[in-house]
DNA sequence: CGATAAGCGAGACGGTACGTCGAGTCTTGTA
DNA sequence: TACAAGACTCGACGTACCGTCTCGCTTATCG
């Protein structure tokens, strides 16, 4: 049973240099100024590219930004896998906090939020992206539970959302710190509760 | 010698009916469809009002929406002040969750987020608004601490932001429930940790 | 020393089927709808041909149309050479009128005019094409003059342009008929005047 | 029975200065260069006006040009009404020839033709405009016929179209002169024929 | 027979102009 | 002076064609 030989490809191939130039331009513009003027026209002009070339490959401005984020700033939050759940979780949270506040990433994240507010399609993409991030954290917690460091009844989804909820809330409003001590205290809070799961109201089955 | 009584008033007075019509129209449009087409032109047209009349009294579209939210849907989250901190907190959280998901409020909140992403002025207003909400919750916690129900070292700001962070995170993404059981578990988590404050790393001075 | 015999030929030969398909597609599209959407892309797509294949052989869209016109509809206006100048002229005019109003030709002519308005290169081609048409009519008149049926001072160029002028004017605007009676009356007008050339102001030398 | 009092007018009035600036800019651009770059954007920019203001009042670029032509260059071909039909006709034709070849008018006419080729709406407008021009010439001829200077059977429509046909044909192609001698010879041709109407095949009733 | 040289379908590329939308401002006449 | 109406400038939007440029492949001719 061989492959249906869909089509070996025909026509000119995508210009990788143009792709890079567009992502670069998007990052540069998102980082500059107050984030206004992140326009498709501006991105295309800054990349030395026709507008159509942007629209050919991305459905919206925000999709470009998201792509830029994943390509350029996505590889930084790694799971350390060192020792106790407490250490792992604290490290994960602190790294997440820190990474988001570095210079290009922060601007892109804000630009993404700005765009996703208008563009339902981007909102969808962003939702999918955040889901993968949640999944990573969820897996981390699950490994801890498997090692007996969490009560079996612990609501992992809630724990995950408490981390990312706090993160986004402070990131957007900027009224409170997202630093290492905060990561430490947040971790302690979550584990203090989940370690006493017997006294907690039982969460959902959480079979995943 | 006090102010020279400059002029009691001259010219036509503000038309209260127009104000109401504008807020109504804003709510109606924000609730309708997917929330797109909440335009100043659309609001003015729907309210049977000139655009200038909107701009005369509000600095931006978002300010109109925020005003509508406060006028129409703002008075519902009250602090019960009944019994233990645990009950008070659970009630507050559950009420917050519920109120935000009712029909006109939910749409307006989403419209507000959408606008605040673009409009820095509205972002400022919204920040001030959320600050008042945080202050209410902070006061609630502080009363509890005064009654000895919280460790003295507890980071109240962190607790507040965990509540609102989870709320906004789930409200925006819609991937998890914001129901009474969730409120219950969240409350339990927060208090389980804060009751053992002695074992927590000490938070900031929290002098407010 | 003649041409350096550059190279007899090498490589693949021109695909005649593609040529025909392109001309067919051009005619079909020019005839369809209101004539809009006669695009190079559309022609190429309709002909199942790459755009480059069009540009390889024709300098512009209009050149394709002109080629189609000459190939498909060009051979119909013949000079009868039967009897008197009056009869010949009337026949020529009537045939010209009729031929232009037949179905594929009419649409292509209009499409050509449309394109030539934009494309200076096509305008040039079209000018050359109309010049050959004028030359045919001019020769017909000259033969008549040689037979003594026209005054020697007659301005043949003016007569030619009166025929084609009337034709194009009515063809484009469509406000008056281009039928046999019109051809008859036009012929009579021209000959009535040119038969009395002695009383006319003398025209240019008309040496051609 | 009074008027239905449609509306006394409300809202800001049309800015006449903007209208003039747009027409001026259109003429200027049409006259400059080779006529390319007569763009809506360019007109708006040159007029110091938003694009929307152009679109608010004219359906297309060509409509602007036509308006400019009528406003600025339309008042020049007047009917002299001096003496014989021959003199009147010659004068009319010569003036028409001359006016069209003066500097701003010529460019605008060419730009109009260019646009009308693409824009069916403009083609319609242009058709209406040419009809009014034909009507003027038709009236001139009719007065001559009433004075007995034309045969009663003369096909006035044909005569009119011979004048304008020759004019447009030479104006567009530019292969022959549109000067006073040409006007003189054309006039002579037309009148030579129409003066002998008895020998012409009878035209249409021409009852207008 | 292989090397070389086009021609070909497909389609991505940098551009330019299009016509529309929404924003915030301004100018009318009326109340 | 507020108001309804609506014209104004500005700037971004997403689309349509233009003419050019690769791709991988298919023919042809020539050494």
């Amino acid at each position: 049973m061989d492959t249906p030989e869909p089509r070996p490809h025909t026509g000119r191939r995508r210009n990788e240099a143009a792709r890079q130039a567009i992502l670069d331009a998007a990052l540069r513009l998102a980082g500059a100024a107050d984030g206004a003027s992140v326009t498709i026209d501006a991105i295309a002009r800054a990349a030395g590219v026709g507008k159509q070339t942007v629209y050919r490959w991305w459905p919206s401005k925000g999709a470009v930004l998201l792509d830029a984020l994943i390509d350029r700033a996505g590889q930084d939050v790694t799971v350390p896998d060192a020792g106790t759940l407490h250490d792992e979780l604290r490290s994960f949270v602190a790294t997440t906090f820190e990474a988001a506040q570095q210079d290009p990433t922060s601007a892109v994240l804000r630009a993404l939020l700005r765009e996703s507010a208008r563009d339902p399609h981007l909102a969808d993409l962003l939702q999918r992206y955040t889901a993968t991030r949640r999944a990573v954290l969820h897996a981390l917690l699950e490994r801890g539970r498997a090692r007996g460091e969490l009560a079996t009844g612990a609501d992992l989804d809630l724990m995950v959302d408490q981390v990312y909820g706090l993160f986004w809330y402070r990131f957007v409003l900027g009224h409170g710190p997202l630093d290492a001590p905060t990561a430490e205290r947040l971790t302690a809070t979550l584990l203090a509760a989940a370690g006493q799961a017997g006294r907690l109201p039982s969460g959902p089955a959480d079979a995943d």
Side-chain angles (χ1 to χ4, degrees), chain A:
Chain A
M1 181 178 136
D2 47 16
T3 55
E5 189 69 39
R7 192 165 45 99
H9 182 76
T10 187
R12 188 175 181 173
R13 241 81 66 71
R14 177 171 187 177
N15 183 349
E16 178 60 21
R19 182 175 177 272
Q20 295 297 334
I22 290 168
L23 295 183
D24 282 348
L27 280 180
R28 202 171 341 123
L29 289 173
D34 59 342
S37 82
V38 186
T39 300
I40 289 273
D41 289 80
I43 292 175
R45 210 174 322 118
V49 142
K51 243 197 308 182
Q52 200 63 258
T53 299
V54 179
Y55 282 112
R56 207 190 323 274
W57 301 110
W58 292 275
S60 70
K61 191 193 329 182
V64 178
L65 289 167
L66 185 54
D67 220 358
L69 178 71
I70 292 172
D71 250 45
R72 297 298 202 286
Q75 57 277 60
D76 32 22
V77 176
T78 53
V79 194
D81 194 6
T84 67
L85 175 61
H86 182 278
D87 284 351
E88 279 184 16
L89 183 54
R90 180 175 41 74
S91 170
F92 181 94
V93 172
T95 311
T96 298
F97 286 1
E98 197 182 353
Q101 294 176 94
Q102 263 151 21
D103 202 25
T105 309
S106 165
V108 177
L109 283 177
R110 287 179 206 286
L112 273 170
L113 290 181
R114 221 175 303 132
E115 290 311 313
S116 77
R118 298 272 174 145
D119 180 353
H121 176 262
L122 173 61
D124 196 60
L125 286 181
L126 211 52
Q127 197 144 347
R128 226 169 307 207
Y129 177 67
T130 54
T132 68
R133 300 310 209 113
R134 284 199 300 277
V136 172
L137 178 51
H138 196 276
L140 188 153
L141 293 175
E142 208 151 356
R143 279 208 315 278
R145 183 166 61 182
R147 293 197 304 256
E149 300 184 68
L150 280 182
T152 44
D155 185 345
L156 300 194
D157 286 331
L158 182 64
M159 293 174 70
V160 166
D161 288 358
Q162 275 185 274
V163 169
Y164 278 116
L166 179 78
F167 164 65
W168 283 109
Y169 190 60
R170 291 204 167 171
F171 179 76
V172 168
L173 293 181
H175 65 288
L178 284 172
D179 51 11
T182 302
E184 170 61 42
R185 278 198 299 278
L186 176 59
T187 302
T189 300
L190 294 175
L191 293 186
Q196 321 171 5
R199 285 167 31 209
L200 288 174
S202 66
D206 206 292
D208 57 329

